[in-house]
Amino acid sequence: MAAQSESLGSWPVVRQLRRMRALYAAGALLWAASSIVTAWSSPGSSPMWTSVLLLAVFTGLLALSSRWLRRMGPVAGTERKDRPVTHGATSARHARA
C-alpha cells in the first residue's frame, strides 16, 4: 500500500502496479497450463478444480490491476509523443506581420 504522503497517481505506485500486473499475468498463464494438464490427465479431480480456482483468482487480480492502471491515466511528468509540443513562440508567419 502507498504511504500517506504519496499521491495515488505518482510514479512509484504506477510502477508497482505494473509489476504486480506482470506477476498476475504470469500466474494466470501458469494456472491455465496447470488446469489444462490436470484436466487432461484426470478430469473432474480435486487438483483440477483447485487449478481452475487459482486460475480464476489470478485472472481476477489481473483484471483488477489493469482496471486500476487504466483509471490512473497518464502519470504526471511523462510526456505523450502524440501531442504537439508548444513552447509559446510565435510562428514565422506571425512574426513578419
Side-chain angles (χ1 to χ4, degrees):
M1 178 140 203
Q4 290 181 352
S5 62
E6 277 185 349
S7 66
L8 288 177
S10 65
W11 179 244
V13 173
V14 172
R15 187 174 29 187
Q16 184 67 24
L17 267 175
R18 286 182 180 153
R19 285 183 190 152
M20 294 308 297
R21 185 177 61 176
L23 177 78
Y24 296 150
L29 286 174
L30 173 77
W31 289 112
S34 175
S35 298
I36 291 170
V37 168
T38 308
W40 185 267
S41 63
S42 56
S45 66
S46 178
M48 184 203 76
W49 290 114
T50 303
S51 293
V52 170
L53 175 68
L54 287 170
L55 172 62
V57 167
F58 274 90
T59 303
L61 289 170
L62 176 63
L64 190 61
S65 64
S66 295
R67 181 176 166 221
W68 283 344
L69 275 172
R70 201 171 335 136
R71 286 181 68 194
M72 286 183 147
V75 178
T78 60
E79 290 183 345
R80 294 183 59 184
K81 295 184 180 190
D82 58 344
R83 292 184 187 165
V85 179
T86 57
H87 297 286
T90 60
S91 65
R93 182 181 61 193
H94 291 218
R96 283 185 251 146

